[in-house]
Amino acid sequence: MKAWPWIALAACGGGSTEPAEHVAPPAMSLDATPTAPDDAVVATVDGHPIYASCVAAQAAADHVGAQAALRECIDFELLARAAAARGLADDPDVRYAWRTALVNREVERDFEDHAFSVGDFGPLWALVKKRRGYLFDHAEFRGSTYVRVPIDDGESAADAAAARDAMAKVAAAVAGQAGLSGADLVDIATPIAAAAHVPLEHATTEMYTQRSMDKPYADALFAVPEIGRASPAVRTIYGWDVILFTNVVPAVHDTPDDTVAGLMPEARKVFFTRWVDGLAAAMTLDVHEFADRIPDEDVP
């Protein structure tokens, strides 16, 4: 069971912006309650019942026999009575823990255990699908590291040829090699570019699909058969490149049912606040915020 942050809702009779009168929290009952009409009383402590369901739960939790589990239930009841006799039922920490457990149980019963369908989310589902649906239907993404001799529009034919020849030598030096890293490619290209007296640039790219990149660059990258291998020298819009295939996210084309299953956790997460607001509306509860009463301090 998750621990959810609880939200305090103040009951108000109308649209007033004044805070509601302080209402004492409901009294906590220390008596155990039966889980079913036939839940038998198996012991009492000063007249307070211990039910068979407690014994069964304790035995399952601690992997003990029925008699040992009963003893644990009795001990728990004795400790509860001792704590109550010392006034701990009104201890702020105890009441906070009780309220938190109460809220967590409500969330567990009516939200976590609810079998949501797409229709439960209304327009919110379309928003979640727009934001996250690509994760379940996308082309292959590839990452790369390149070394490049840049060419500007005003470069002479001789400079362009020098760039092409230098990158051809780099491509020849890495041809057939497997398991290369980006650093390996840069180390190989640097002395070749220096000997050819051409500038060298290098960078590692983000992950892209083939259609989202410069076509010559993308075609060269997606033609590389495996991670750790490099392309031949290729003329891109930026210059002459040798491109190393460094990372991949395989293409995914899930079925509609699988897509719904994949999006459901995100939809439930986004829907949670609206679900809580719906409870407030259904119970005609009103919520007032007094932001000016909260110190404007940075949260550590």
Side-chain angles (χ1 to χ4, degrees), residues 123-135 263:
L124 184 65
W125 181 261
L127 178 63
V128 171
K129 189 172 182 180
K130 182 178 179 180
R131 290 179 177 176
R132 309 289 289 179
Y134 72 91
L135 294 172
L263 289 172

Side-chain angles (χ1 to χ4, degrees), residues 19 25 29 62 177 247 260:
S29 172
D62 289 353
Q177 293 196 46
N247 201 3
V260 168

